[in-house]
Amino acid sequence: MDGSPTRSNARRDFYERLGGLSMAPLWESLHQLVPPQPAPKYVPAAWDYDKVRPFLMESGTLITAKEAVRRVLILENPAMPGSACITPTLYAGLQLILPGEIAPSHRHTQSALRFIVEGEGAYTAVDGERTIMREGDFVITPTWTWHDHGNDSSKPMVWLDGLDIPLVAMFNAGFAENGAEDEQAVTAPVGTSDARFASGLLPVDWKPAKQTSPIFNYPYARTREALAGLAKAGPPDACHGHKLRYVNPASGGAPIATMGTFVQLLPKGFETAPYRSTDGAVFSVVEGEGESAIGDRTFRWKKRDHFVVPSWAPVVHKASSEAVLFSFSDRPVQERLDLWREDRGGR
Ligand code: GTQ
């Protein structure tokens, strides 16, 4: 009887009538709903900066930063067209600000990170304090903080925007508002947060109000020094090379509650052991050249290129010159939910 045409016709008829009640049979989708291991519906992909940059510059001739509010070209996962997602939980884009331009003040519940790809001297203001940005700086715009960007330098500035837009959308927890003025009032001198929070010291009676870091610029000069020191101090990790995570000094956790950020130094000629983890990650190449095998694809990369590694896809990085990679993922969220797993292949 099982599998007979009569039986399958009866089932189809049953499903159809059941659908009328907004119900469905679990047994037809159980395997997909509870997979034996992650089976992401998005794919590895890479963006070559030599191909991307002309489009960025062309966008600068078509719309001003002010009119666009944020003049950004979204890095969209090729398997999720129209979604504005690079992974199902993360958004990434490349933002351009030309000399003299302003991206007006607004705030939203989505948190943002900036990783500076090209240029020097533009600022981001966060809740009344500006920071001047340089290549390789990692800057955060925590949830619900006022932020505007401006470029007082003589060159275009490009940075990688990483936001938790898809996560916030999944929770339907998005709120946003525009500032009364394009540029918010400056209420603290440049360097205030750095002086108060970035030296392994905290103001004596200061208590954190939220999970996000009180430091909002992690300058590359310091990051690079830490990586160089780490490389001198001991051998590279088999799977990661010399890898560090950015940290909120007040909590030991990630600087942003929803996104983890990482930076790793790969010595010249180093090849990482195959590694996978449940957090899909977006990479920005800061220095050097090499290639990454991600699942069954291999991408060559150099300074300013970007690529995405899906959840649970095995990855092997090979550096043909000494290389530095910045990356971000939803790892802190997965850790909070006791979901995060890695597979070091026994290393
Ligand atoms: O700078 O506020 O790439 O709100 C996307 C949404 C940047 C920003 C993006 C945003 C921003």
PDB file of all heavy atoms in Angstrom, residues 70 72 91 95 106 108 114 147 149 161 163 165, ligand 1:
ATOM      1  N   ARG A  70      23.326  57.648   2.339  1.00  0.00           N
ATOM      2  CA  ARG A  70      24.547  56.850   2.401  1.00  0.00           C
ATOM      3  C   ARG A  70      24.799  56.364   0.981  1.00  0.00           C
ATOM      4  O   ARG A  70      23.993  55.612   0.431  1.00  0.00           O
ATOM      5  CB  ARG A  70      24.403  55.649   3.337  1.00  0.00           C
ATOM      6  CG  ARG A  70      24.103  55.998   4.795  1.00  0.00           C
ATOM      7  CD  ARG A  70      25.251  56.739   5.458  1.00  0.00           C
ATOM      8  NE  ARG A  70      24.997  57.046   6.864  1.00  0.00           N
ATOM      9  CZ  ARG A  70      24.593  58.235   7.333  1.00  0.00           C
ATOM     10  NH1 ARG A  70      24.355  59.239   6.508  1.00  0.00           N
ATOM     11  NH2 ARG A  70      24.440  58.406   8.635  1.00  0.00           N
ATOM     12  N   VAL A  72      26.337  53.993  -1.035  1.00  0.00           N
ATOM     13  CA  VAL A  72      26.924  52.683  -0.777  1.00  0.00           C
ATOM     14  C   VAL A  72      26.576  51.735  -1.912  1.00  0.00           C
ATOM     15  O   VAL A  72      25.443  51.719  -2.387  1.00  0.00           O
ATOM     16  CB  VAL A  72      26.369  52.100   0.547  1.00  0.00           C
ATOM     17  CG1 VAL A  72      26.944  50.721   0.816  1.00  0.00           C
ATOM     18  CG2 VAL A  72      26.653  53.034   1.728  1.00  0.00           C
ATOM     19  N   TYR A  91      24.789  42.232   6.512  1.00  0.00           N
ATOM     20  CA  TYR A  91      24.806  43.151   5.380  1.00  0.00           C
ATOM     21  C   TYR A  91      26.232  43.672   5.232  1.00  0.00           C
ATOM     22  O   TYR A  91      26.907  43.925   6.236  1.00  0.00           O
ATOM     23  CB  TYR A  91      23.850  44.306   5.672  1.00  0.00           C
ATOM     24  CG  TYR A  91      24.104  45.554   4.871  1.00  0.00           C
ATOM     25  CD1 TYR A  91      23.316  45.873   3.766  1.00  0.00           C
ATOM     26  CD2 TYR A  91      25.140  46.426   5.220  1.00  0.00           C
ATOM     27  CE1 TYR A  91      23.569  47.017   3.036  1.00  0.00           C
ATOM     28  CE2 TYR A  91      25.396  47.567   4.484  1.00  0.00           C
ATOM     29  CZ  TYR A  91      24.609  47.860   3.390  1.00  0.00           C
ATOM     30  OH  TYR A  91      24.861  48.984   2.667  1.00  0.00           O
ATOM     31  N   GLN A  95      31.126  52.067   1.053  1.00  0.00           N
ATOM     32  CA  GLN A  95      30.621  53.446   1.113  1.00  0.00           C
ATOM     33  C   GLN A  95      31.680  54.418   0.608  1.00  0.00           C
ATOM     34  O   GLN A  95      32.851  54.314   0.980  1.00  0.00           O
ATOM     35  CB  GLN A  95      30.214  53.783   2.556  1.00  0.00           C
ATOM     36  CG  GLN A  95      29.722  55.208   2.723  1.00  0.00           C
ATOM     37  CD  GLN A  95      28.787  55.469   3.909  1.00  0.00           C
ATOM     38  OE1 GLN A  95      28.298  56.582   4.058  1.00  0.00           O
ATOM     39  NE2 GLN A  95      28.519  54.488   4.736  1.00  0.00           N
ATOM     40  N   HIS A 106      21.920  60.520  11.234  1.00  0.00           N
ATOM     41  CA  HIS A 106      20.725  59.729  11.555  1.00  0.00           C
ATOM     42  C   HIS A 106      21.095  58.692  12.617  1.00  0.00           C
ATOM     43  O   HIS A 106      22.259  58.567  12.991  1.00  0.00           O
ATOM     44  CB  HIS A 106      20.106  59.089  10.294  1.00  0.00           C
ATOM     45  CG  HIS A 106      20.895  57.990   9.646  1.00  0.00           C
ATOM     46  ND1 HIS A 106      20.516  57.394   8.471  1.00  0.00           N
ATOM     47  CD2 HIS A 106      22.047  57.364  10.011  1.00  0.00           C
ATOM     48  CE1 HIS A 106      21.385  56.454   8.140  1.00  0.00           C
ATOM     49  NE2 HIS A 106      22.321  56.416   9.058  1.00  0.00           N
ATOM     50  N   HIS A 108      19.814  54.557  14.098  1.00  0.00           N
ATOM     51  CA  HIS A 108      18.946  53.388  13.893  1.00  0.00           C
ATOM     52  C   HIS A 108      19.350  52.284  14.853  1.00  0.00           C
ATOM     53  O   HIS A 108      20.449  52.310  15.425  1.00  0.00           O
ATOM     54  CB  HIS A 108      18.994  52.919  12.439  1.00  0.00           C
ATOM     55  CG  HIS A 108      20.337  53.022  11.778  1.00  0.00           C
ATOM     56  ND1 HIS A 108      21.383  52.188  12.092  1.00  0.00           N
ATOM     57  CD2 HIS A 108      20.817  53.883  10.848  1.00  0.00           C
ATOM     58  CE1 HIS A 108      22.435  52.511  11.356  1.00  0.00           C
ATOM     59  NE2 HIS A 108      22.131  53.548  10.604  1.00  0.00           N
ATOM     60  N   ARG A 114      32.587  50.021  10.514  1.00  0.00           N
ATOM     61  CA  ARG A 114      33.287  50.539   9.311  1.00  0.00           C
ATOM     62  C   ARG A 114      34.677  49.961   9.340  1.00  0.00           C
ATOM     63  O   ARG A 114      35.319  49.963  10.397  1.00  0.00           O
ATOM     64  CB  ARG A 114      33.431  52.066   9.330  1.00  0.00           C
ATOM     65  CG  ARG A 114      32.351  52.808  10.068  1.00  0.00           C
ATOM     66  CD  ARG A 114      31.149  53.015   9.230  1.00  0.00           C
ATOM     67  NE  ARG A 114      30.032  53.528  10.039  1.00  0.00           N
ATOM     68  CZ  ARG A 114      28.775  53.473   9.627  1.00  0.00           C
ATOM     69  NH1 ARG A 114      28.472  52.937   8.452  1.00  0.00           N
ATOM     70  NH2 ARG A 114      27.807  53.940  10.379  1.00  0.00           N
ATOM     71  N   HIS A 147      24.879  59.304  14.083  1.00  0.00           N
ATOM     72  CA  HIS A 147      26.132  59.292  13.317  1.00  0.00           C
ATOM     73  C   HIS A 147      25.985  60.026  11.997  1.00  0.00           C
ATOM     74  O   HIS A 147      24.968  59.934  11.329  1.00  0.00           O
ATOM     75  CB  HIS A 147      26.641  57.866  13.093  1.00  0.00           C
ATOM     76  CG  HIS A 147      25.640  56.928  12.486  1.00  0.00           C
ATOM     77  ND1 HIS A 147      24.573  56.421  13.194  1.00  0.00           N
ATOM     78  CD2 HIS A 147      25.546  56.392  11.243  1.00  0.00           C
ATOM     79  CE1 HIS A 147      23.863  55.616  12.406  1.00  0.00           C
ATOM     80  NE2 HIS A 147      24.426  55.595  11.215  1.00  0.00           N
ATOM     81  N   HIS A 149      28.832  61.289   8.637  1.00  0.00           N
ATOM     82  CA  HIS A 149      30.178  61.127   8.115  1.00  0.00           C
ATOM     83  C   HIS A 149      30.499  62.339   7.246  1.00  0.00           C
ATOM     84  O   HIS A 149      29.621  62.871   6.581  1.00  0.00           O
ATOM     85  CB  HIS A 149      30.307  59.875   7.240  1.00  0.00           C
ATOM     86  CG  HIS A 149      29.582  58.655   7.755  1.00  0.00           C
ATOM     87  ND1 HIS A 149      29.875  58.083   8.966  1.00  0.00           N
ATOM     88  CD2 HIS A 149      28.597  57.906   7.209  1.00  0.00           C
ATOM     89  CE1 HIS A 149      29.085  57.023   9.137  1.00  0.00           C
ATOM     90  NE2 HIS A 149      28.299  56.898   8.093  1.00  0.00           N
ATOM     91  N   ASP A 161      31.203  48.890   5.035  1.00  0.00           N
ATOM     92  CA  ASP A 161      30.158  48.943   6.057  1.00  0.00           C
ATOM     93  C   ASP A 161      29.714  47.520   6.365  1.00  0.00           C
ATOM     94  O   ASP A 161      29.390  46.766   5.441  1.00  0.00           O
ATOM     95  CB  ASP A 161      28.920  49.677   5.517  1.00  0.00           C
ATOM     96  CG  ASP A 161      29.021  51.181   5.608  1.00  0.00           C
ATOM     97  OD1 ASP A 161      29.702  51.690   6.507  1.00  0.00           O
ATOM     98  OD2 ASP A 161      28.389  51.848   4.767  1.00  0.00           O
ATOM     99  N   LEU A 163      26.776  45.700   8.680  1.00  0.00           N
ATOM    100  CA  LEU A 163      25.623  45.956   9.562  1.00  0.00           C
ATOM    101  C   LEU A 163      24.864  44.655   9.830  1.00  0.00           C
ATOM    102  O   LEU A 163      24.923  43.702   9.045  1.00  0.00           O
ATOM    103  CB  LEU A 163      24.663  46.990   8.959  1.00  0.00           C
ATOM    104  CG  LEU A 163      25.107  48.464   9.017  1.00  0.00           C
ATOM    105  CD1 LEU A 163      25.880  48.845   7.774  1.00  0.00           C
ATOM    106  CD2 LEU A 163      23.929  49.411   9.190  1.00  0.00           C
ATOM    107  N   ILE A 165      21.721  44.330   9.611  1.00  0.00           N
ATOM    108  CA  ILE A 165      20.396  44.634   9.045  1.00  0.00           C
ATOM    109  C   ILE A 165      19.491  43.383   8.945  1.00  0.00           C
ATOM    110  O   ILE A 165      18.351  43.422   9.405  1.00  0.00           O
ATOM    111  CB  ILE A 165      20.547  45.333   7.667  1.00  0.00           C
ATOM    112  CG1 ILE A 165      21.052  46.775   7.870  1.00  0.00           C
ATOM    113  CG2 ILE A 165      19.233  45.324   6.879  1.00  0.00           C
ATOM    114  CD1 ILE A 165      21.378  47.525   6.571  1.00  0.00           C
TER     115      ILE A 165
HETATM  116  O1  GTQ B   1      26.291  54.588   7.586  1.00  0.00           O
HETATM  117  O2  GTQ B   1      24.393  54.650   8.594  1.00  0.00           O
HETATM  118  O3  GTQ B   1      25.905  50.801   4.389  1.00  0.00           O
HETATM  119  O4  GTQ B   1      22.440  53.244   7.787  1.00  0.00           O
HETATM  120  C1  GTQ B   1      23.742  50.983   5.280  1.00  0.00           C
HETATM  121  C2  GTQ B   1      22.855  51.603   6.150  1.00  0.00           C
HETATM  122  C3  GTQ B   1      25.481  52.437   6.017  1.00  0.00           C
HETATM  123  C4  GTQ B   1      25.146  54.159   7.749  1.00  0.00           C
HETATM  124  C5  GTQ B   1      25.031  51.402   5.226  1.00  0.00           C
HETATM  125  C6  GTQ B   1      23.293  52.640   6.950  1.00  0.00           C
HETATM  126  C7  GTQ B   1      24.623  53.051   6.887  1.00  0.00           C
END
